[in-house]
């Protein structure tokens, strides 16, 4: 009987250790880069501001583990999703502006400054359907459906 109780206790310890290990690994994987999400408490993710009936200012901010290219890809993904949700098929980037924000944080324990780099990219987009665009605009426009089909 004591052997069975000991076996059950050991299984509970192993099970608890396994759950804890999986939780830690999951946390580390999630905290590596900025996930595709609306702007969170820490200022990471996408945001948009409607400028007119057919234009928005769209931004994506990544943390220090999110590359500038990944930020750009996630920004364009948000532009494509927003375009389709507003009932349009194409978007044009009207004014592209890229910022590299640098923040300094003070670490009391070592009395040193550490540098964290975060990337934010913003674009102003104009959304339209095919019949609303000139031939020149159509050559520059991004088809939101095609973009999402190849970049999800």
């Amino acid at each position: 009987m004591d052997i069975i109780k000991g076996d059950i206790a050991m299984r509970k310890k192993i099970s608890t250790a396994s759950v804890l290990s999986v939780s830690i690994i999951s946390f580390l994987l999630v905290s590596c880069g900025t996930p595709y999400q609306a702007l969170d408490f820490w200022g990471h993710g996408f945001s948009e501001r409607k400028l007119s009936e057919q234009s928005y200012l769209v931004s994506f901010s990544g943390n220090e583990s999110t590359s500038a290219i990944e930020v750009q890809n996630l920004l364009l993904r948000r532009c494509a999703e927003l375009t389709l949700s507003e009932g349009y098929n194409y978007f044009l980037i009207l004014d592209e502006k890229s910022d590299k924000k640098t923040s300094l944080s003070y670490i009391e324990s070592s009395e040193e400054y550490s540098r964290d780099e975060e990337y934010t990219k913003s674009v102003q987009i104009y959304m339209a359907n095919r019949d609303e665009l000139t031939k020149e605009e159509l050559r520059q426009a991004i088809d939101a459906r095609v973009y999402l089909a190849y970049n999800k």
Side-chain angles (χ1 to χ4, degrees):
M1 191 73 152
D2 288 335
I3 295 173
I4 294 173
K5 286 183 181 178
D7 187 43
I8 292 172
M10 182 182 273
R11 285 183 187 187
K12 283 184 180 178
K13 285 181 183 178
I14 291 172
S15 178
T16 303
S18 298
V19 170
L20 185 59
S21 296
V22 169
S23 297
I24 290 170
I25 290 170
S26 297
F27 174 76
L28 291 173
L29 289 175
V30 169
S31 65
C32 290
T34 302
Y36 182 73
Q37 63 186 15
L39 207 58
D40 65 15
F41 177 76
W42 295 277
H44 302 126
F46 62 78
S47 64
E48 64 266 339
R49 183 169 42 110
K50 192 169 190 164
L51 302 174
S52 71
E53 190 60 36
Q54 289 180 259
S55 67
Y56 276 84
L57 179 64
V58 185
S59 299
F60 192 92
S61 295
N63 62 23
E64 62 276 355
S65 298
T66 310
S67 72
I69 290 174
E70 188 176 358
V71 167
Q72 180 174 320
N73 290 338
L74 294 171
L75 171 67
L76 290 174
R77 176 179 170 184
R78 182 61 191 150
C79 291
E81 289 178 352
L82 185 60
T83 298
L84 295 175
S85 74
E86 291 291 315
Y88 300 100
N89 293 322
Y90 295 88
F91 65 95
L92 286 158
I93 296 174
L94 299 180
D95 179 34
E96 192 171 52
K97 181 173 100 177
S98 177
D99 303 305
K100 182 178 178 185
K101 293 197 293 187
T102 303
S103 61
L104 294 174
S105 58
Y106 184 70
I107 301 172
E108 287 184 45
S109 60
S110 62
E111 297 186 1
E112 295 176 1
Y113 285 92
S114 70
R115 194 175 202 99
D116 295 326
E117 293 179 351
E118 298 179 345
Y119 294 94
T120 298
K121 190 158 182 76
S122 301
V123 292
Q124 184 179 342
I125 61 167
Y126 175 77
M127 303 172 295
N129 288 314
R130 185 181 192 96
D131 59 338
E132 298 173 279
L133 299 171
T134 66
K135 286 184 182 182
E136 180 62 31
E137 290 171 334
L138 195 54
R139 278 193 287 271
Q140 297 174 358
I142 297 171
D143 186 324
R145 296 164 298 177
V146 172
Y147 184 86
L148 288 175
Y150 289 102
N151 295 288
K152 272 228 170 178

